[in-house]
């Protein structure tokens, strides 16, 4: 009886550990695929912008033609609207290396609505660091959380005053040491 109990306990422990490993692997695979798609959308946006700049065709005609061909081969997700988002994604996030792997395409589409670059970068980093869902990100943007997080003018003035005093104090003690 005890042997059966030990075997059952061992199987349960093994099962839990194997389940943890598999769930971690699945989550990592999902994140990797997701970020691969986000970066591919950035590169697609880059190619669209460069194609529009170098070609004789402009805007709507390019997107219309691309949409038909891409949808025929790769399925939905390549309508003109999404291609416009990809173009805007590239134009807004100039450096692909600054993209956060924790965020989804839906996060980035939301971030495109934020016009101020500093605010957009703040929301991007907070969303990644705080693991905000797209719903949470939307609420934070709607509530102007970035503007609320900025220090108030009187707080800045006080901090500048304190920094000046600290610098003056350090310079004074440095001069005293040099005089010795």
């Amino acid at each position: 009886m005890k042997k059966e109990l030990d075997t059952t306990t061992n199987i349960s422990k093994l099962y839990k550990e194997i389940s943890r490993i598999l769930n971690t692997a699945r989550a990592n695979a999902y994140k990797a695929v997701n970020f691969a798609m986000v970066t591919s959308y950035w590169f697609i946006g880059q190619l669209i912008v460069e194609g529009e700049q170098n070609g004789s065709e402009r805007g709507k005609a390019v997107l219309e033609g691309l949409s038909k061909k891409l949808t025929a081969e790769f399925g939905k997700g390549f309508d003109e609207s999404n291609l416009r988002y990809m173009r805007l994604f590239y134009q807004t996030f100039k450096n692909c290396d600054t993209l956060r792997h924790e965020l989804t395409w839906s996060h980035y589409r939301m971030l495109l609505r934020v016009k101020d670059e500093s605010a957009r970068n703040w929301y991007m980093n907070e969303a990644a660091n705080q693991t905000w869902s797209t719903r949470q990100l939307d609420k934070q943007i709607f509530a102007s959380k970035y503007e609320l997080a900025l220090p108030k003018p009187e707080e800045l003035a006080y901090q500048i005053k304190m920094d000046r005093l600290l610098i003056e104090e350090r310079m004074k003690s440095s001069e005293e040491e040099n005089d010795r």
Side-chain angles (χ1 to χ4, degrees):
M1 180 76 171
K2 183 166 172 40
K3 213 173 200 180
E4 271 183 42
L5 192 58
D6 287 344
T7 304
T8 304
T9 303
N10 284 341
I11 290 172
S12 290
K13 284 180 183 178
L14 279 171
Y15 174 79
K16 284 180 185 176
E17 191 62 22
I18 291 169
S19 293
R20 185 190 60 75
I21 290 168
L22 290 173
N23 286 326
T24 300
R26 283 181 179 166
N28 290 340
Y30 173 79
K31 288 175 188 174
V33 168
N34 178 66
F35 191 63
M37 293 309 300
V38 167
T39 54
S40 71
Y41 294 157
W42 188 90
F43 284 109
I44 290 168
Q46 180 185 33
L47 289 171
I48 290 170
V49 168
E50 290 172 356
E52 289 175 342
Q53 290 171 349
N54 297 331
S56 58
E57 291 186 63
R58 285 289 191 195
K60 187 160 176 56
V62 170
L63 295 181
E64 200 174 298
L66 276 174
S67 175
K68 286 178 184 172
K69 287 181 169 259
L70 290 170
T71 301
E73 184 167 347
F74 298 102
K76 67 180 190 171
F78 296 98
D79 59 19
E80 289 178 54
S81 172
N82 221 16
L83 292 175
R84 274 192 295 281
Y85 275 115
M86 291 175 200
R87 178 177 59 195
L88 182 60
F89 183 47
Y90 167 74
Q91 292 168 328
T92 303
F93 294 91
K94 303 279 189 228
N95 184 350
C96 185
D97 294 332
T98 62
L99 299 176
R100 299 291 303 258
H101 71 275
E102 302 93 339
L103 302 182
T104 65
W105 176 236
S106 296
H107 283 97
Y108 281 108
R109 283 188 53 167
M110 250 176 235
L111 289 167
L112 290 174
R113 298 185 320 210
V114 180
K115 299 299 177 208
D116 179 76
E117 183 178 0
S118 296
R120 186 173 46 251
N121 288 333
W122 186 86
Y123 285 116
M124 177 179 68
N125 289 321
E126 285 298 302
N129 295 338
Q130 302 298 323
T131 61
W132 288 346
S133 67
T134 53
R135 183 173 290 190
Q136 288 170 310
L137 174 60
D138 188 45
K139 284 181 182 178
Q140 301 299 336
I141 292 170
F142 183 75
S144 300
K145 190 75 169 184
Y146 170 74
E147 289 77 9
L148 296 172
L150 293 175
K152 294 170 181 41
E154 59 271 10
E155 291 171 351
L156 278 176
Y158 177 77
Q159 187 61 50
I160 291 169
K161 182 179 178 181
M162 296 308 291
D163 288 347
R164 281 186 186 149
L165 289 173
L166 183 63
I167 291 169
E168 288 172 7
E169 190 176 298
R170 286 185 181 165
M171 288 176 66
K172 188 177 180 181
S173 69
S174 176
E175 288 172 1
E176 288 174 358
E177 283 182 21
N178 288 340
D179 288 344
R180 289 186 202 165

